[in-house]
Amino acid sequence: MQKLLCTIIAGSLCIPFILAAQSGSNVVLPQDKGPDKVDVSAYPADLQKNYKLFVGKCAKCHTIARPINTVMSREEWSRYVKRMMHKPNSGISDAQGKEIFEFLAYDQANRKDKDPKSFFKALSDEEIEKLKAQH
Ligand code: HEC
């Protein structure tokens, strides 16, 4: 009986760790600490709509500040949105991924490229793994 109880308690202690590992929210990147909004009032109407979709979809596993404060080339964004889309339970369809990419590419060219020093270059996979290992 005691052994069974121990197993149940040890098992339930593990659950938060399993959930954190799945969501990817356990690592804080430098980008996460920056601003969490973009002033899109001067952006074309369809891109303002894509921004709303982006905010709704890309904050599921980490802060929305993370993509808002990361600089990448257009090609890198294209690859990165696909990489995020293909994570388990991303909840992002191909069509939605394309709309989000259009916002990110426009935002890159019209906001981030004008002041690249205010933002962060994407961390390499190795750098992210190092941060994860520190936890
Ligand atoms: C299913 C969970 C999930 C969703 C949804 C998600 N991400 Fe991520 N994101 C992650 C994880 C986990 C990482 C850490 C790196 C890795 O494991 O690929 C990450 C890292 C990032 C980074 C950091 C890149 C770097 O190297 O510094 C950016 C930028 C990013 N995501 C953008 C986005 C965008 C844009 C979207 C919406 C299209 C999105 N994410 C949706 C899980 C997610």
Side-chain angles (χ1 to χ4, degrees):
M1 183 58 203
Q2 222 178 357
K3 200 174 162 204
L4 179 68
L5 212 63
C6 277
T7 314
I8 292 169
I9 293 169
S12 52
L13 286 177
C14 281
I15 290 170
F17 294 104
I18 295 167
L19 290 178
Q22 276 180 344
S23 67
S25 60
N26 52 342
V27 198
V28 178
L29 303 187
Q31 300 96 298
D32 292 323
K33 295 178 193 138
D36 62 357
K37 276 190 192 71
V38 180
D39 177 6
V40 293
S41 54
Y43 286 21
D46 55 333
L47 289 165
Q48 292 190 22
K49 259 203 326 218
N50 296 4
Y51 170 67
K52 285 210 185 103
L53 182 67
F54 157 74
V55 170
K57 292 287 181 185
C58 300
K60 188 181 171 192
C61 310
H62 46 66
T63 62
I64 197 67
R66 184 175 294 188
I68 285 180
N69 299 297
T70 301
V71 286
M72 289 190 197
S73 70
R74 196 182 158 86
E75 291 69 34
E76 284 169 327
W77 276 123
S78 170
R79 256 186 286 133
Y80 221 88
V81 169
K82 285 188 190 121
R83 170 169 164 176
M84 295 292 130
M85 250 169 66
H86 293 140
K87 285 189 182 292
N89 306 316
S90 77
I92 305 169
S93 70
D94 283 5
Q96 290 168 333
K98 195 167 169 285
E99 288 179 6
I100 293 170
F101 163 71
E102 280 164 11
F103 164 75
L104 287 165
Y106 183 91
D107 186 55
Q108 180 67 49
N110 292 275
R111 184 177 66 99
K112 294 170 176 169
D113 284 349
K114 291 187 176 143
D115 185 19
K117 286 206 185 70
S118 297
F119 306 104
F120 296 90
K121 279 230 170 73
L123 269 66
S124 67
D125 290 354
E126 291 72 28
E127 285 167 322
I128 291 176
E129 284 311 313
K130 253 194 236 158
L131 287 174
K132 280 185 187 163
Q134 283 167 12
H135 272 257

